[in-house]
Amino acid sequence: MFHWLVKLLLAFLLTTILPVLLVGGYLTIEMRTMAFKSALEQASINVDRVKKRTEEVIGVSQDIAYRLSNDARLKRLATRQYVSTYDVYS
């Protein structure tokens, strides 16, 4: 009778625990792969966003530098030392 109990327990373990472990391991690996791919995609999007904003800031700086180099009046206003706030408006 003890022999049948061992066979029954072994059959139960092989038919329930083993498939659960195999499917659980497979799903865990796939979920980790999906999370890694998503993280890489988000990082790439963030790098592109930072690159675009940096280009915008550099473009504004270049525009200001161009305007200062070609407009003598603006250059004089930008480089002048003002004594008071009122001097800016006069």
Side-chain angles (χ1 to χ4, degrees), residues 1-66:
M1 182 158 183
F2 183 70
H3 183 62
W4 285 98
L5 186 60
V6 171
K7 282 186 176 180
L8 185 63
L9 184 61
L10 186 62
F12 173 74
L13 291 175
L14 288 176
T15 58
T16 57
I17 301 298
L18 187 63
V20 168
L21 288 176
L22 290 175
V23 170
Y26 174 75
L27 291 177
T28 301
I29 290 170
E30 287 298 314
M31 189 68 101
R32 183 182 63 182
T33 303
M34 286 173 49
F36 185 71
K37 286 180 182 179
S38 176
L40 282 177
E41 184 179 332
Q42 289 297 321
S44 175
I45 289 170
N46 288 340
V47 166
D48 290 340
R49 185 179 302 134
V50 168
K51 184 178 177 182
K52 182 180 175 185
R53 289 189 180 165
T54 303
E55 288 173 353
E56 288 174 2
V57 169
I58 289 173
V60 169
S61 301
Q62 288 176 340
D63 183 50
I64 291 171
Y66 174 77

